[in-house]
Amino acid sequence: QKEVEQDPGPLSVPEGAIVSLNCTYSNSAFQYFMWYRQYSRKGPELLMYTYSSGNKEDGRFTAQVDKSSKYISLFIRDSQPSDSATYLCAMTHNAGNMLTFGGGTRLMVKP
Amino acid sequence: EPEVTQTPSHQVTQMGQEVILRCVPISNHLYFYWYRQILGQKVEFLVSFYNNEISEKSEIFDDQFSVERPDGSNFTLKIRSTKLEDSAMYFCASSDSSGGTDTQYFGPGTRLTVL
């Protein structure tokens, strides 16, 4: 079983739709969870960072962590064509430690 | 806004040659990392560096790889004798990681092509 699993997509939605992106993980030692956005041939750009179970909101983005189910989500409201990118989940055991990434979900938002 | 920078953006080398990839982390950050991403694959951890020594490394980071912080601003990754399978995007990242947080900020990457 892979440590972090993420549906590769592509996920195609119309502009204005609510997008739900998800990752599951197997290692209960993961404590810190991040979502990155990556445009083609660019570096990952940090979007959201969460530590505890529950929801965290930042503008159009909401990150959700359910440690009991080992499941994290990123919701994007009012999606825009500029949101078209690959979304990577990443997690780590402790601050200062290596990140383990999911494979990324490619999102396409059509005008 | 402070950012991680990397040079060069693209490096082409012959198999067996040595390459050095350079990074300038965010200035007040204490932890430094190298990751790589082979085309179409996951971002993979290579090594982390704190307090002038390696704190963690993956199986990928074998004797052909080394890291160095030669001065107060640069952080380098050296590959001694490149192989075809070293062709990938190499990302440098840095984090503050004080107070129990861990937000790693990534540079734009160096695309390494080994011929």
Side-chain angles (χ1 to χ4, degrees), chain A residues 7-14 17-22 74 76 83-85 87 104-110:
Chain A
D7 188 328
L11 179 62
S12 182
V13 301
I18 296 174
V19 175
S20 172
L21 304 165
N22 311 294
L74 178 70
I76 307 173
D83 294 328
S84 298
Y87 289 79
T105 299
R106 190 155 67 93
L107 171 67
M108 295 186 296
V109 181
K110 296 184 177 178

Side-chain angles (χ1 to χ4, degrees), chain A residues 2-5 32 34 36 38 41-46 49 51 88 92 94-99 101-103, chain B residues 31 33 35 37 39 42-43 45 48 55-56 89 91 95 97 100-109 111:
Chain A
K2 293 179 184 175
E3 262 198 307
V4 181
E5 302 225 37
Y32 301 86
M34 280 138 274
Y36 287 85
Q38 186 178 31
R41 294 184 180 262
K42 301 291 185 186
E45 173 195 3
L46 181 67
Y49 165 83
Y51 170 64
L88 310 172
T92 184
N94 291 303
N97 286 110
M98 58 174 277
L99 292 179
F101 280 85
Chain B
Y31 292 79
Y33 313 83
Y35 293 81
Q37 186 176 31
L39 190 62
K42 283 186 178 187
V43 176
F45 170 77
S48 60
S55 49
E56 202 174 8
M89 285 288 285
F91 296 110
S95 68
S97 295
T101 62
D102 187 15
T103 47
Q104 295 185 23
Y105 294 90
F106 283 72
R111 181 152 59 105

Side-chain angles (χ1 to χ4, degrees), chain A residues 19-90:
Chain A
V19 175
S20 172
L21 304 165
N22 311 294
C23 283
T24 58
Y25 62 96
S26 57
N27 191 339
S28 58
F30 287 134
Q31 298 293 325
Y32 301 86
F33 305 91
M34 280 138 274
W35 285 96
Y36 287 85
R37 177 173 62 197
Q38 186 178 31
Y39 294 109
S40 182
R41 294 184 180 262
K42 301 291 185 186
E45 173 195 3
L46 181 67
L47 284 176
M48 299 286 285
Y49 165 83
T50 52
Y51 170 64
S52 56
S53 282
N55 292 355
K56 181 177 179 180
E57 192 173 315
D58 184 2
R60 296 186 295 114
F61 299 92
T62 299
Q64 195 173 75
V65 173
D66 182 349
K67 287 185 179 179
S68 62
S69 301
K70 299 192 186 69
Y71 188 87
I72 68 170
S73 300
L74 178 70
F75 298 96
I76 307 173
R77 287 183 297 282
D78 187 25
S79 55
Q80 303 295 308
S82 57
D83 294 328
S84 298
T86 296
Y87 289 79
L88 310 172
C89 65

